Amino acid sequence: MTDSGTAPSGVPGYDGPERYTVVSADCHGGGEIHEYRSYLPAALHERFDAWVADYVVPYPDLLGDAGKRNWDSDRRLADLEADGVVAEVIYPNTVPPFFPKPSLTDQPPAANAGDLSLRWEGLKAHNRWMADFCARTPGRRAGIVQIMLHDLDAAVEEIRWAHSAGLTGGVLLPGTPPGSGLVPLWQYAHYEPLWRVCEELGVPVNHHTGSAAPPVGDTALDKVVFLTEVSWWAHRAFTHLIVSGTMDRHPDLQFVFTEQGTAWIPEECRRLDYYWGRMSKAVGSQEYEWGHDLVSSMDLKPSEYWARQCHVGASFQRPAEAALRYQVGVDRVMWGSDYPHKEASSPFSREALQLTYNGIDPVEVAAMVGGNAAALYGFDLEFLAPIAARVGPRVADVYKPLAVEDIPAGADKCPAFVGIAGVKP
C-alpha cells in the first residue's frame, strides 16, 4: 500500500491510512538545571547560583547522554520518530530550581513551613522553559503547566498565563495526601476557583501517579512500599472529584488519570456505582443515612461521570488492559510511551503496540494510540499525517500477533511485555 489511503494488506475490511498517527499521552521532560536560571527573576539569580553550586543530580538517568533526552530538542525528536511517535504530551521530569527532587513526586512542605515561595518561582521557571521548548516544534508537543495548591490565586494566574503562552497540555493537578497540609480535593468550595478557570479555558486537568502518595523515607523498604502503593493513592482523586461535586458542577471539565494503569477503572466504577445505589435506594441502611443527601444532589452515577469527563493516560498498556477497552471506553484510552523513563516502551514502542493491539479493529487502535489524545490536547491530525506517513507504525504490522522471537532484547524493562512467553515476570 502507498500513503494515498488504499487498504493495507492483512487487515480485512480496513481502508484507512497505512500507518498510525501515534501521539504519546505520557512523556516526560524538563530543562538542564542551569537552563532555568534565565527564567527566574533577576533578584533570585544570586540565590539560584548558591543553590545550584551545591545541587547534586539525584538520579543517574538525569546525567550524561541519558539526561539530554529531557532537554535536547533535536535528540528527543529523533528518538520519538525512531520509535514511531509523531507528537507527545510532556509531563515534568527534571528537578526545578529550589526543589530537592523532581516535583512530580516530591511533596513541598506545609504552607506554614519551608521555602514555598522559592519553589513556586522554580516551578514558574520550569513552566516558561517548557513553553519555549514546545515552541521549538510547533504542533508536536503539548506541555503541561505545573502549579501549587497552597496559593490558588497564584495558581489561577499561572494557568491563565500558560494558556496564553501555548502550553496546550493543560494543568498538572498535584495530590493532597495526608500530612501535606493541603485541603483535600473533595472540599469543593476551596478549589472552585481552580475548576472554574480550567473549565473556562477548556484546559484538561491531568493527575499523574506520584504526587498523591504521602512522603516516605529513603530506605529500600520505603521505596518498595511507595512502588506498590503509589498508583492506589493516585486513583483516589477520581472518587474525591466526584464526591466533591466538581464533575457535576463543571460538566465540560475534562480529567486525565495518567500512568496509573487501566484495569482499575472498570472495577472502581462498579464499586462506586454500588455505593451510589445503596446510598440512593437502600432506605434504612447506614449507606443511605450517610450518603443520600449527597448522591441525590448529583445528576449521574460515577461510571457516567467517567464516560463523560474522564480519560486514562494508558502508559505502556498491556494486552489484558486493551481487552477492557469497551468497559473503559475506546474514546477514553490514550496510549503513552513514558519516554524517557526506565520503564518506558521506548525504543520498543512498535513492538509494544503490536503486542497490545494485534487483531483489534484499526479504527479503534487509531483512536487509542493517537486520535483521542489529539482531540483532547488539540493536536492537528492533518498536520501530523505527513509525518506519520513517514515514521508511524504500519497498521498491517500492528495487526499481526507479535512472535516471541521478535521481542527485542531488553524489552522486559517495560511492563507492557511482562507476563508473555519468554519474558521474565
Side-chain angles (χ1 to χ4, degrees), residues 16 51 90 93 100 123 158 161 180 183 190 226-227 242 247 258 262 287 302 318 328-329 384 419 422:
W51 174 81
I90 308 179
N93 198 43
L123 279 193
E158 188 71 356
W161 168 84
S180 66
V183 176
H190 181 78
F226 176 83
L227 181 67
I242 295 174
M247 294 186 187
T258 295
T262 305
E287 297 98 324
R318 300 174 178 87
V328 176
L384 295 173

Side-chain angles (χ1 to χ4, degrees), residues 206-228:
N206 305 276
H207 188 62
H208 193 285
T209 191
S211 70
V216 297
D218 201 38
T219 71
L221 292 176
D222 290 321
K223 291 176 181 177
V224 170
V225 169
F226 176 83
L227 181 67
T228 55

Side-chain angles (χ1 to χ4, degrees), residues 62-75:
L62 294 180
L63 293 168
D65 186 64
K68 291 179 181 177
R69 296 176 299 175
N70 289 278
W71 57 78
D72 185 328
S73 182
D74 294 339
R75 162 72 183 281

Side-chain angles (χ1 to χ4, degrees), residues 8-11 14 17-20 354 362 393-401:
S9 60
V11 186
Y14 174 73
E18 179 186 7
R19 297 176 185 265
Y20 287 120
Q354 184 178 357
R394 294 182 183 274
V395 172
D397 291 341
V398 173
Y399 193 76
K400 296 183 297 186

Side-chain angles (χ1 to χ4, degrees), residues 33 51 55-63 93-95 99-102 218 223 342:
I33 192 66
W51 174 81
Y55 170 77
V56 177
V57 177
Y59 303 114
D61 57 355
L62 294 180
L63 293 168
N93 198 43
T94 62
V95 180
F99 273 76
K101 296 179 180 179
D218 201 38
K223 291 176 181 177
K342 293 177 181 177

Side-chain angles (χ1 to χ4, degrees), residues 22 51 108 192 197 223 256 270 313:
V22 179
W51 174 81
E192 199 276 336
V197 71
K223 291 176 181 177
V256 184
R270 284 191 290 268

